[in-house]
C-alpha cells in the first residue's frame, strides 16, 4: 500500500517581477523622480528593469504603494490579468 499524497496549497502572494500595480493605477502623491505622482498606465520611474520597486522598504515610498496588497481577485494568476484588472478598475473609478 502506498503512502497517501499530501497536497499543500500555498497562499498566493505578490509575484516578484509583476509590477502591474506600479503601472496601471494613477498615483496622486509625490514619488521620488515624479513629484506630481503618475498618471494611469505610465510606468513608475522607481520600477526597475526587473519590475521591482526601487523604493521597497524605503520611507520615501508613497503610502498608497505600501498599502496595496496582493488580492487574487485583483491580481489574478499572472501579470497580464493583474494589468487588465487594475487598468479596468482605474478607468471605472478614475
Amino acid at each position: 500500500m502506498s503512502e497517501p499524497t499530501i497536497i499543500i496549497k500555498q497562499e498566493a502572494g505578490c509575484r516578484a517581477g509583476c509590477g502591474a500595480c506600479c503601472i496601471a493605477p494613477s498615483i496622486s502623491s509625490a514619488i521620488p523622480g515624479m513629484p506630481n505622482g503618475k498618471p494611469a498606465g505610465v510606468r513608475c520611474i522607481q520600477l526597475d528593469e526587473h519590475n521591482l520597486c526601487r523604493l521597497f522598504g524605503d520611507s520615501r515610498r508613497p503610502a498608497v504603494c505600501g498599502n496595496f496588497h496582493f488580492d487574487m481577485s485583483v491580481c489574478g494568476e499572472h501579470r497580464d490579468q493583474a494589468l487588465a484588472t487594475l487598468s479596468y478598475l482605474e478607468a471605472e473609478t478614475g
Side-chain angles (χ1 to χ4, degrees), residues 36-85:
N36 297 318
K38 66 170 230 48
V42 172
R43 183 181 181 85
C44 177
I45 197 167
Q46 296 300 331
L47 195 60
D48 73 12
E49 65 277 3
H50 302 289
N51 287 333
L52 300 173
C53 178
R54 291 183 181 99
L55 297 177
F56 194 82
D58 187 315
S59 63
R60 298 174 299 155
R61 185 177 183 213
V64 67
C65 299
N67 290 330
F68 183 86
H69 298 285
F70 177 92
D71 184 313
M72 185 60 107
S73 67
V74 174
C75 301
E77 295 182 8
H78 52 76
R79 182 176 189 265
D80 292 340
Q81 288 177 337
L83 279 168
T85 303

Side-chain angles (χ1 to χ4, degrees), residues 1-45:
M1 192 166 194
S2 65
E3 292 291 317
T5 302
I6 298 173
I7 299 172
I8 299 172
K9 184 173 181 176
Q10 294 182 335
E11 286 188 40
C14 186
R15 293 178 295 273
C18 174
C21 59
C22 303
I23 299 169
S26 60
I27 297 176
S28 58
S29 54
I31 302 165
M34 299 178 102
N36 297 318
K38 66 170 230 48
V42 172
R43 183 181 181 85
C44 177
I45 197 167

